[in-house]
């Protein structure tokens, strides 16, 4: 079954740990270019809806702040149209990832399979450096995403048709 | 008299970090502060010492929503300094990419940030449950704007293809033609957006504003024109600093801008529209009249209709440019950097955006000044609150708070052009 898989990095790289979604995506770019659709959203979470358009599987990486220690990795998985908001509320962005996914769900534009990696951050002010724990967690998330993609590709035939549309 | 304090920790659906304080005593407003507490980012300072070619890409980072506006104002300022004129198809392509930015920015604000106010929804998510098709149309519009920016700008976010003198790469005829079908559908969606927003309930509120915007001899303004106002201003862009001054106020980290002669003024879609209605396409004029906003429109709440009208215009203008497009032989004009000062002012989605640079004979920037639209509207926003609240002190507190938030959202403020919330505090006795 040919289907579209998107890897989407969310965050503002000028705000310390908030940039970890972009760090993960950029780290994986060399390995995954041409295999999936790679999208950097920066802080423009409103564009997540457009990024999801036409995808069957979306892997989203963003920083989160739930009170857990910096570097803790949260993984959420939603399949077959369940409403993906648990744990995704709140954001340094104008619209949270949870908001955008809920809107996509209401509009019946939600991919059938969504994986969200949230990396717990501590430093979100403008100009903050990324904390070492978050940087290490990014490497682990990269490894886990490669494993996810491998499993997904076992179910596919060929790369996604629009892989070259990466921004 | 009943004491009251209303506090909203942050107001969603605006860009940037700031707050509002309204002090009420004996049914009178004693103080209004639009408080921008987000720290300044010193872009003007770190432009110093950089090469002129870097200004468009550095300033594009000021705003994730209107990077094209920053690039355009920087580019025009540099070309002014070097005595270069860009015309023909390259000029048309600049208008085209600006069409994309207006469509994208306006669609975001109209449908996701502003419309919920009028219909009583907390946010677009709640609104989408009752108006799914409208929200889908708005998202489609927004996507079409993004696609234009991505094609002309090289990518949707932080575009990189614009340069002083032209573009790094110009599109092929075929690439543009592929967008025409989508723009035709976007045009229909924009027309529907005008008709839809015209049905909203609008507070009865008007003021005698001084609207300021660009005016071009033949076009609805994007990149060029004279700076004019509804109270008689008519100057070249290079005279901007003779007439507009920035003031520091204690409660804001953004400078307040005023007209030296007359004080606060109003920039943005409503100003552009009132000053340039005759430059809109016939369809845009017709649908605006049918929506009941023939100019002059002095109700800032109706700016949501005007933004929709501007989306109709931008779609039609984009289609015109695409239909007439012939790829230019070269993607940029020759230019020779020289020492001097250059000014540029273009119409960002939120209003006029002024840049001025001094460069030396090596093309190095030695001084920079940037005045963003929201900075220019700050005092007018405060005055709107000062006039809006006294007649409404008897309405329920929650409703008044909501409407005050709306007053601010009428301007689609991009408080820092980057960040994320606005706090609203009432201090009432």
């Amino acid at each position: 079954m040919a289907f579209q898989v998107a890897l989407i990095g969310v965050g503002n790289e000028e705000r310390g740990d908030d940039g970890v979604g972009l760090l993960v995506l950029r780290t994986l770019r060399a390995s995954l270019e041409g295999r999936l659709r790679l999208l950097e959203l920066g802080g423009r979470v409103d564009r997540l809806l457009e990024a999801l358009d036409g995808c069957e599987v979306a892997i989203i990486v963003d920083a989160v702040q739930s009170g857990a220690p910096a570097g803790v990795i949260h993984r959420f998985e939603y399949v077959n149209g369940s409403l993906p908001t648990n744990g995704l509320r709140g954001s340094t962005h104008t619209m949270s990832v949870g908001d955008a996914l809920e809107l996509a769900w209401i509009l019946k534009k939600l991919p059938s399979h969504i994986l969200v990696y949230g990396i717990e951050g501590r430093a979100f002010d403008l100009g903050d450096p990324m904390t070492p724990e978050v940087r290490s967690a990014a490497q682990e998330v990269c490894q886990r995403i490669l494993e996810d993609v491998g499993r997904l590709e076992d179910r596919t035939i060929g790369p996604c048709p629009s892989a070259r549309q990466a921004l | 008299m009943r004491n009251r304090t209303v506090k909203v920790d942050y107001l969603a659906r605006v860009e940037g970090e700031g707050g509002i304080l309204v002090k009420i005593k004996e049914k009178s407003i004693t103080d209004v502060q639009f408080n921008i507490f987000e720290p300044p980012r010193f872009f003007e300072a770190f432009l110093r010492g950089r090469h002129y070619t870097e200004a468009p890409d550095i300033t594009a980072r000021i705003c994730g929503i209107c990077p094209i506006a920053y690039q355009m104002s920087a580019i025009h300022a540099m070309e002014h300094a070097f005595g270069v004129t860009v015309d023909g198809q390259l000029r048309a392509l600049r208008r085209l990419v600006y069409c994309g930015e207006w469509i994208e920015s306006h669609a975001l604000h109209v449908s996701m940030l502003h419309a919920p106010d009028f219909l009583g929804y907390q946010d677009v998510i709640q609104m989408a449950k009752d108006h799914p098709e409208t929200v889908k149309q708005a998202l489609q519009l927004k996507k079409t704007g993004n696609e234009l920016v991505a094609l002309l700008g090289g990518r949707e976010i932080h575009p990189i293809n614009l340069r002083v003198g032209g573009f790094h790469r110009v599109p092929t005829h075929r690439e543009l033609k592929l967008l025409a079908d989508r723009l035709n559908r976007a045009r229909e969606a924009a027309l529907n957006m005008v008709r839809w927003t015209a049905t909203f309930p609008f507070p009865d509120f008007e003021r005698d504003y001084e609207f300021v915007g660009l005016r071009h001899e033949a076009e609805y303004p994007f990149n060029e024109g004279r700076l004019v106002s509804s109270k008689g201003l008519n100057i070249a862009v290079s005279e901007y600093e003779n007439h507009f001054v920035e003031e520091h106020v204690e409660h804001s980290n953004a400078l307040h801008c005023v007209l030296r002669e007359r004080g606060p003024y109003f920039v943005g879609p409503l100003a552009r529209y009132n000053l340039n209605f005759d430059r809109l396409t016939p369809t845009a004029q017709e649908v605006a009249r049918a929506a009941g906003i023939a100019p002059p429109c002095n109700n800032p709440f109706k700016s949501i209709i005007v933004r929709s009208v501007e989306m109709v215009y931008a779609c039609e203008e984009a289609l015109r440019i695409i239909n007439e497009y012939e790829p230019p032989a070269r993607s940029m004009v020759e230019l020779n950097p020289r020492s001097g000062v250059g000014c540029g002012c273009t119409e960002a989605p939120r209003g006029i955006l002024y840049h001025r640079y001094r460069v030396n004979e090596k093309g190095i920037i030695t001084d920079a000044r940037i005045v963003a639209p929201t900075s220019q509207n700050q005092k007018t926003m405060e005055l709107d609150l000062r006039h809006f609240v006294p007649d409404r002190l008897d309405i329920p507190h929650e409703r008044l708070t909501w409407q005050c938030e709306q007053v601010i959202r009428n301007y689609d403020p991009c408080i820092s052009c980057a960040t994320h919330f606005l706090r609203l505090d009432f201090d009432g006795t």
Side-chain angles (χ1 to χ4, degrees), chain A residues 13-14, chain B residues 41 43 56-64 155 158 417:
Chain A
E13 61 192 316
E14 292 170 12
Chain B
R41 293 181 296 161
F43 267 88
D57 293 335
I58 290 174
T59 58
R61 296 288 178 140
I62 292 175
C63 184
R155 58 188 187 187
H158 303 314
C417 286

Side-chain angles (χ1 to χ4, degrees), chain B residues 96 148 173 176-180 183 317-326:
Chain B
L96 183 59
L148 265 180
H173 202 264
L176 286 185
K177 285 288 182 192
L178 286 173
L179 286 177
L183 277 163
E317 177 68 353
L319 283 164
R320 182 193 68 77
I321 292 167
I322 289 172
N323 285 335
E324 295 173 5
Y325 182 62
E326 292 296 335

Side-chain angles (χ1 to χ4, degrees), chain A:
Chain A
M1 182 183 74
F3 63 93
Q4 292 206 1
V5 183
L7 173 62
I8 301 166
V10 180
N12 182 343
E13 61 192 316
E14 292 170 12
R15 286 181 171 269
D17 296 341
D18 197 32
V20 70
L22 303 183
L23 174 63
V24 167
L25 189 128
R26 289 169 188 173
T27 304
L28 289 172
R29 187 174 285 282
S31 310
L32 296 179
E33 187 90 70
R35 292 164 66 188
L36 350 172
R37 197 168 163 189
L38 303 174
L39 298 155
E40 289 190 15
L41 288 194
R44 294 293 310 276
V45 182
D46 57 282
R47 287 185 167 165
L48 183 56
L49 287 135
E50 292 142 46
L52 296 175
D53 203 13
C55 290
E56 291 193 20
V57 182
I59 304 171
I60 301 166
V61 190
D62 193 9
V64 298
Q65 199 170 24
S66 71
V72 167
I73 297 166
H74 307 270
R75 186 178 187 274
F76 307 93
E77 187 162 8
Y78 310 94
V79 291
N80 298 325
S82 60
L83 176 60
T85 56
N86 291 342
L88 301 177
R89 290 290 178 205
S91 169
T92 63
H93 321 301
T94 306
M95 180 182 236
S96 73
V97 169
D99 291 338
L101 293 178
E102 185 174 356
L103 186 54
W105 179 77
I106 291 166
L107 298 176
K108 299 184 170 49
K109 287 181 169 289
L110 200 63
S112 58
H113 190 168
I114 295 171
L115 278 171
V116 180
Y117 282 98
I119 300 173
E120 194 77 27
R122 185 169 59 217
F124 290 94
D125 284 339
L126 274 173
D128 278 347
M130 192 173 287
T131 55
E133 297 93 326
V134 171
R135 202 170 278 281
S136 312
Q139 296 311 311
E140 186 180 335
V141 167
C142 287
Q143 190 53 44
R144 289 171 69 172
I145 288 174
L146 287 172
E147 291 164 12
D148 291 329
V149 171
R151 279 193 295 273
L152 289 165
E153 285 181 332
D154 286 344
R155 298 195 286 122
T156 69
I157 301 170
C160 103
S162 59
R164 291 291 171 189
Q165 289 178 10
L167 293 177

